[in-house]
């Protein structure tokens, strides 16, 4: 029974020494001196703020993309014991001792290092020689721009890692298709493809470009499978469902999980949550939740409320009034009603309080039991402090003459009667009998007499007489729906005092109900996702911003860091020879492909069919990857930087050894020409290494260079090499 113990247990393993050596070299190139400089480098000032917020569990919104990349950077801070206490306000600021610089930069550096062996494996899976695969890996290893970008707390190296992992996983899955369908390894690589794609998209939306490319390639491959008569209908259906599960359902589920973890971690209120709806803010600990905790849920006749505009642009604001009136005549000569001003005020104030009144009754308190207001009910809104009624009439608004003025009515005993009846319309109602709810209900107020809707005009601020507050107008329903017409009750209490002085005191204290339990994860996800997609910071011209055309020839660079006293500095500058070679390789590929296509049309086959299919599949990955990661930037309305080109560049670099091997195998016919071509490749590779060494001081930031040495590095007049004036 125990006979197996008589023989030793032996485990054998195959180790690819090329892969091992490349991995070690990648780690050395990215990890050495990782804590240097111990100062904020370029966009670390941006991402560091989010890491600190994660450490303190404070909610934030970043319009640059999903949260997964930020969470990975925060993971580095967490592993290093970072407490989040550092003021990220200046590039070049020295890190305090509590900031674990090495740990914060570790994950981007590891991702950048692993891109080297991934490049090797991708070319092997594309069925190119190990020599070509080694060349691709070495080019990635010696690319100065990829090294620079991966050595700091930035996201591009992580994005490129997941992109390459997705490509490699799909190629391994596809190569197993013919002989190992539905095996364990087949499922592993298919599922890993979907996981890597979702991670790439979760780091930056740029990952969506490669994800779409792989979906298109998978769709093309499946289309070819449909024509295979050896596969039954059941087998085809299983293949289709497997791909749908791995490449669509799992990525979507993972994408949602990134937001779930993000929202679970960031449960505290902070400065960023003010752009979110009141319901979202109330779900966060502190902030609005502290104010609204314990409020009545249902708005009733006699309720005292504040009304927040749902749009929140150009800033969050609340319906507001004060004792000042509109001027009798505006500067342009138009007249007004001289009624009490109504505005939208971007700060909490006692003048933001209104009382919901039943037009058929005089009382301004909530009855017992309360009579809730429902969709379609007619109400009057009484300003809490001045007790004047919200009103609109056929008088032009001060800044928007095509809309109606909104005011609080003052009876001047002239022929201008009050028009203060409003119909409550709950926009997000489930039925026409829905009750108007605190925070949760989004409502429109439709004026009964004129059918105008209460709204904030397009970000217009009133002049000095209106204290620069935002204009509120009445706009006809016929002009269409807009979020600026929608309001929600943010603060709410049941009024109990009929006397005005007692009511003014009463306006400052609430009672108890937890509204946060009413907001589901999907509701919070949908709102946060919409904010990320639609929130746009004002794009300003940056000193180092560039156009997509500048990237191909690297006519631009970015100064990442400058030593405060010496000439040591770090720049995002690529290996010039590699960039030029990548452009030439892409041009050769496209010209040769066009030549082959024309010749094949004439029934002239210059290369064997297997070599032609290999050429096409490699081009689909490399040229396709370059195109989808580069061309979209020509139509993007955002500030662009050189680092946006790095994913496209990575695919272009992979194309270089593919083109070189093709030229050697199919265009160099004689032994002599092959030998000469090989010698040229060796000389070229030596030159690539020489250029890498030349620019290493501004890649790693050391050693410090003299003024003359810095001037020698300015190979292009458009480069901005920093030379300190003495």
């Amino acid at each position: 029974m125990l006979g197996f113990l008589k023989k030793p247990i032996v485990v054998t393993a195959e180790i690819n020494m090329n892969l091992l050596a490349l991995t070690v070299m990648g780690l050395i190139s990215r990890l050495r001196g990782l804590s240097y400089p111990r100062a904020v480098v370029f966009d670390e000032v941006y991402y560091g703020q989010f890491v600190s917020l994660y450490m303190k569990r404070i909610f934030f919104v970043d319009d640059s993309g999903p949260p997964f990349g930020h969470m990975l950077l925060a993971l580095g801070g967490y592993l290093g014991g970072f407490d989040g206490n550092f003021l990220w306000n200046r590039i070049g600021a020295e890190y305090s001792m509590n900031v674990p610089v090495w740990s914060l930069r570790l994950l981007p550096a590891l991702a950048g290092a692993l891109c080297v062996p991934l490049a090797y494996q991708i070319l092997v899976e594309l069925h190119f020689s190990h020599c070509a695969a080694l060349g691709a890996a070495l080019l990635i290893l010696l690319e100065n721009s990829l090294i620079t970008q991966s050595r700091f707390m930035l996201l591009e190296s992580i994005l490129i890692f997941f992109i390459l992992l997705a490509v490699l996983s799909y190629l391994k899955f596809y190569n197993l298709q013919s002989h190992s369908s539905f095996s364990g390894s087949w499922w592993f690589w298919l599922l890993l493809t979907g996981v890597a794609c979702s991670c790439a998209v979760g780091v930056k939306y740029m990952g969506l470009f490669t994800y779409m490319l792989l979906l298109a390639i998978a769709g093309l491959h499946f289309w070819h499978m449909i024509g295979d008569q050896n596969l039954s209908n059941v087998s085809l259906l299983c293949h289709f469902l497997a791909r749908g599960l791995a490449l669509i359902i799992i990525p979507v589920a993972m994408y949602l999980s990134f937001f779930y973890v993000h929202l679970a971690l960031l449960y505290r209120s902070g400065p960023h949550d003010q752009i979110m709806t009141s319901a979202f803010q109330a779900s966060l600990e502190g902030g609005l939740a502290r104010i609204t905790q314990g409020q009545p849920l249902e708005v009733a006749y006699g309720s005292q409320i504040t009304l927040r505009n749902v749009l929140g642009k150009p800033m969050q604001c609340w319906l507001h009034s004060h004792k000042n009136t509109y001027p009798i005549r505006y500067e342009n000569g138009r007249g007004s009603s001289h009624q009490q001003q109504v505005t939208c005020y971007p700060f909490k104030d006692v003048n933001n309080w209104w009382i919901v009144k039943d037009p058929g009754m005089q009382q301004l308190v909530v009855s017992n039991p309360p009579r809730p207001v429902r969709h379609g009910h007619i109400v009057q809104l009484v300003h809490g402090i001045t007790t004047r009624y919200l009103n609109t009439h056929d008088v032009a608004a001060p800044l928007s003459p095509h809309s109606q003025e909104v005011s609080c009515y003052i009876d001047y005993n002239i022929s201008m009667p009050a028009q203060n009846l409003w119909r409550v319309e709950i926009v997000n109602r489930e039925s026409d009998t829905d009750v108007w709810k605190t925070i949760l209900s989004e409502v429109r107020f439709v004026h009964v007499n004129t059918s105008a809707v209460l709204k904030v005009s397009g970000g217009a601020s009133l002049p000095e007489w209106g204290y620069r507050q935002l204009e509120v107008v009445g706009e006809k329903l016929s002009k269409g729906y807009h979020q600026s017409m929608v309001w929600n009750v943010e603060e709410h209490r049941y009024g109990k005092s009929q006397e005005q002085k007692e009511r003014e005191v009463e306006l400052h204290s609430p009672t108890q109900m937890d509204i946060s339990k009413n907001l589901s994860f999907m509701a919070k996800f949908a709102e946060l996702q919409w904010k990320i997609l639609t929130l746009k910071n004002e794009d300003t011209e940056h000193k180092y911003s560039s156009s997509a055309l500048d990237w191909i020839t690297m006519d631009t660079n970015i100064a990442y860091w400058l030593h405060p006293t010496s000439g040591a500095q770090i720049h995002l500058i690529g290996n010039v020879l590699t960039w030029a070679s990548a452009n030439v390789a892409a041009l050769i590929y496209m010209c040769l492909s066009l030549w082959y296509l024309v010749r094949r049309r004439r029934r002239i086959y210059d290369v064997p069919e297997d070599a032609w299919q290999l050429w096409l599949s490699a081009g689909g990955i490399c040229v396709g990857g370059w195109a989808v990661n580069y061309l979209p930037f020509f139509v993007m309305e955002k500030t662009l930087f050189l680092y946006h080109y790095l994913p496209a560049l990575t695919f272009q670099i992979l194309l270089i050894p593919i083109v070189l091997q093709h030229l050697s195998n199919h265009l160099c016919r004689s032994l002599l020409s092959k030998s000469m071509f090989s010698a040229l490749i060796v000389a070229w590779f030596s030159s690539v290494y020489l250029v890498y060494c030349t620019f290493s001081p501004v890649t790693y930031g050391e050693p410090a260079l003299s003024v003359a040495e810095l001037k020698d590095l300015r190979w292009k007049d458009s480069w901005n090499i920093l030379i300190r004036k003495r």
Side-chain angles (χ1 to χ4, degrees):
M1 182 175 176
L2 298 177
F4 69 94
L5 293 177
K6 295 178 180 179
K7 294 183 180 180
I9 299 173
V10 179
V11 177
T12 59
E14 290 185 4
I15 299 176
N16 186 329
M17 295 307 294
N18 284 356
L19 206 55
L20 181 63
L22 288 169
T23 303
V24 171
M25 287 190 290
L27 290 170
I28 292 172
S29 69
R30 270 64 174 177
L31 291 177
R32 71 179 177 93
L34 193 60
S35 296
Y36 178 84
R38 193 175 173 82
V40 178
V41 176
F42 200 61
D43 271 355
E44 285 188 335
V45 74
Y46 177 73
Y47 292 113
Q49 298 174 46
F50 301 133
V51 172
S52 286
L53 291 172
Y54 270 117
M55 296 301 104
K56 297 177 179 181
R57 304 294 191 265
I58 295 174
F59 176 78
F60 69 85
V61 180
D62 178 24
D63 67 335
S64 69
F68 182 56
H70 300 80
M71 288 194 290
L72 289 177
L73 296 180
L75 176 62
Y78 174 78
L79 295 175
F82 184 39
D83 56 10
N85 292 319
F86 183 76
L87 187 60
W88 307 88
N89 62 348
R90 180 174 60 86
I91 296 173
E94 290 291 325
Y95 283 122
S96 54
M97 294 308 297
N98 69 304
V99 181
V101 181
W102 190 86
S103 180
L104 285 169
R105 294 173 178 171
L106 177 61
L107 289 179
L110 286 175
L114 293 176
C115 288
V116 177
L118 284 177
Y120 174 88
Q121 290 181 286
I122 285 172
L123 258 71
V124 170
E125 293 301 321
L126 282 171
H127 303 298
F128 284 87
S129 67
H130 285 272
C131 186
L134 186 62
L138 291 175
L139 288 172
I140 298 293
L141 177 71
L142 301 176
E143 176 46 47
N144 299 72
S145 60
L146 294 178
I147 295 173
T148 300
Q149 199 67 18
S150 63
R151 286 174 50 80
F152 302 108
M153 191 171 46
L154 307 171
L155 292 181
E156 276 66 33
S157 62
I158 300 176
L159 170 65
I160 294 170
F161 166 76
F162 283 120
I163 285 174
L164 293 183
L165 180 62
V167 171
L168 174 64
S169 300
Y170 182 79
L171 290 173
K172 282 186 171 289
F173 152 75
Y174 179 71
N175 289 334
L176 288 168
Q177 178 66 44
S178 59
H179 58 278
S180 300
S181 292
F182 300 105
S183 64
S185 56
W186 184 92
W187 273 110
F188 173 79
W189 291 113
L190 177 60
L191 293 172
L192 186 58
T193 303
V195 169
C197 284
S198 62
C199 289
V201 176
V203 171
K204 277 195 168 189
Y205 283 127
M206 287 172 60
L208 195 62
F209 302 146
T210 303
Y211 178 40
M212 290 294 115
L213 175 68
L214 289 178
L215 281 181
I217 292 173
L220 182 64
H221 288 163
F222 185 73
W223 180 255
H224 291 153
M225 287 179 64
I226 293 175
D228 187 352
Q229 297 297 320
N230 295 320
L231 293 174
S232 66
N233 292 338
V234 173
S235 179
L236 281 173
L237 179 62
C238 291
H239 277 286
F240 178 78
L241 293 176
R243 285 158 174 79
L245 170 69
L247 301 181
I248 296 176
I249 295 175
I250 287 179
V252 169
M254 284 196 63
Y255 184 78
L256 288 171
S257 72
F258 299 150
F259 281 87
Y260 185 86
V261 175
H262 174 74
L263 291 169
L265 290 173
L266 307 182
Y267 58 84
R268 290 178 179 155
S269 173
H272 288 215
D273 59 290
Q274 300 210 358
I275 64 171
M276 310 303 288
T277 62
S278 301
F280 195 106
Q281 290 184 53
S283 70
L284 299 172
E285 182 182 291
L288 182 62
R290 203 166 6 176
I291 298 170
T292 59
Q293 184 181 11
Q295 294 186 144
L297 176 62
E298 296 184 347
V299 177
Y301 291 109
S303 285
Q304 298 167 356
I305 62 174
T306 63
L307 289 165
R308 181 180 187 263
N309 191 257
V310 168
L311 179 63
K313 291 182 180 180
M315 61 192 76
Q316 62 167 356
C317 64
W318 291 263
L319 189 66
H320 176 95
S321 187
H322 40 244
K323 292 182 179 179
N324 302 67
T325 59
Y326 291 109
I328 296 175
R329 289 208 172 272
Y330 301 123
E331 292 179 357
N332 59 8
R334 288 190 300 109
S336 79
S337 65
H338 199 45
Q339 300 281 337
Q340 182 173 303
Q341 296 173 18
V342 172
T343 65
C344 205
Y345 188 50
F347 302 99
K348 294 186 181 297
D349 186 85
V350 70
N351 280 310
N352 297 345
W353 284 90
W354 300 81
I355 302 170
V356 181
K357 179 182 175 298
D358 184 344
M361 302 180 69
Q362 290 303 313
Q363 68 182 41
L364 296 178
V365 296
V366 176
S367 60
N368 189 16
R371 293 185 299 125
V373 180
R374 299 182 183 274
H375 170 76
H377 280 193
I378 306 299
V379 301
Q380 291 170 311
L381 293 176
V382 183
H383 188 241
I385 297 298
T386 65
T387 67
R388 300 196 188 279
Y389 288 56
L390 187 70
N391 185 86
T392 187
H393 37 219
D394 193 16
V395 175
L399 302 180
S400 308
H402 298 294
S403 300
Q404 292 179 191
E405 175 193 89
V406 174
S407 62
C408 277
Y409 183 73
I410 302 174
D411 188 0
Y412 288 119
N413 201 20
I414 58 176
S415 57
M416 185 180 285
Q419 298 183 34
N420 51 32
L421 298 180
W422 300 86
R423 184 172 65 255
V424 175
E425 293 188 354
I426 302 175
V427 176
N428 59 341
R429 65 186 181 276
E430 294 180 359
S431 73
D432 288 344
T433 59
D434 272 13
V435 173
W436 183 7
K437 293 186 177 71
T438 304
I439 290 181
L440 304 176
S441 295
E442 296 182 351
V443 302
R444 286 190 306 190
F445 297 99
V446 182
H447 191 238
V448 173
N449 297 71
T450 63
S451 297
V453 180
L454 186 72
K455 66 165 285 188
V456 177
S457 64
S461 296
L462 296 169
E464 290 294 337
W465 54 258
Y467 304 102
R468 301 292 178 188
Q469 296 173 17
L470 299 179
E471 181 190 39
V472 172
V473 300
E475 186 159 290
K476 298 293 185 182
L477 266 173
S478 58
K479 293 189 177 180
Y481 168 81
H482 192 264
Q483 271 197 312
S484 59
M485 298 177 173
V486 183
W487 307 79
N488 70 270
V489 172
E490 188 169 271
E491 296 179 66
H492 177 212
R493 55 170 296 119
Y494 282 163
K496 298 176 182 177
S497 303
Q498 187 69 33
E499 293 297 322
Q500 177 61 14
K501 286 188 178 179
E502 294 178 8
R503 191 185 306 123
E504 288 183 20
V505 174
E506 189 181 45
L507 287 172
H508 294 22
S509 42
T511 42
Q512 309 245 334
M513 184 213 83
D514 189 3
I515 292 177
S516 64
K517 294 177 181 176
N518 292 288
L519 200 62
S520 66
F521 160 69
M522 287 307 297
K524 294 171 76 173
F525 162 75
E527 181 177 342
L528 179 55
Q529 179 67 86
W530 180 249
K531 289 293 182 185
I532 290 173
L533 294 176
T534 58
L535 181 66
K536 297 296 178 188
N537 290 328
E538 291 185 12
D539 288 332
T540 55
E541 194 66 25
H542 191 280
K543 180 180 180 180
Y544 292 107
S545 62
S546 54
S547 70
L549 280 175
D550 295 329
W551 303 340
I552 297 182
T553 52
M554 203 168 57
D555 286 335
T556 182
N557 72 303
I558 304 177
Y560 271 11
W561 172 80
L562 174 66
H563 194 279
T565 56
S566 71
Q569 52 194 274
I570 295 174
H571 288 259
L572 183 67
I573 294 181
N575 189 309
V576 181
L577 185 54
T578 301
W579 285 51
S581 302
N583 291 332
V584 171
L587 187 61
I588 290 174
Y589 182 89
M590 287 184 280
C591 290
L592 271 178
S593 297
L594 182 61
W595 172 255
Y596 288 152
L597 283 170
V598 172
R599 300 264 291 174
R600 289 173 74 85
R601 190 66 178 166
R602 301 292 297 172
R603 300 291 190 269
I604 302 172
Y605 302 99
D606 298 289
V607 294
E609 185 61 25
D610 59 339
W612 170 244
Q613 293 301 326
L614 185 64
W615 180 253
L616 289 180
S617 61
I621 295 290
C622 298
V623 178
W626 170 79
V628 299
N629 283 285
Y630 174 55
L631 298 181
F633 287 103
F634 283 96
V635 296
M636 286 188 185
E637 295 180 358
K638 61 180 290 185
T639 305
L640 301 178
F641 295 93
L642 182 62
Y643 56 73
H644 286 127
Y645 186 59
L646 295 182
L649 173 72
T650 304
F651 281 102
Q652 209 178 19
I653 289 175
L654 297 181
L655 187 64
I656 298 175
I658 290 172
V659 170
L660 290 177
Q661 179 174 326
H662 183 84
L663 293 177
S664 176
N665 291 348
H666 301 288
L667 271 70
C668 297
R669 305 290 185 183
S670 65
L671 183 61
L672 177 62
S673 61
K674 286 183 181 290
S675 300
M676 291 179 63
F677 189 73
S678 298
L680 286 173
I681 292 176
V682 171
W684 168 76
F685 238 113
S686 301
S687 301
V688 169
Y689 178 72
L690 183 62
V691 173
Y692 158 76
C693 293
T694 302
F695 285 94
S696 283
V698 292
T699 298
Y700 292 95
E702 52 187 358
L705 300 180
S706 65
V707 172
E709 289 171 324
L710 288 171
K711 287 182 177 178
D712 289 340
L713 286 182
R714 189 178 286 165
W715 287 16
K716 292 192 175 187
D717 293 336
S718 56
W719 288 359
N720 187 13
I721 304 295
L722 303 178
I723 298 175
R724 194 180 299 278
K725 294 181 180 179
R726 298 187 181 277

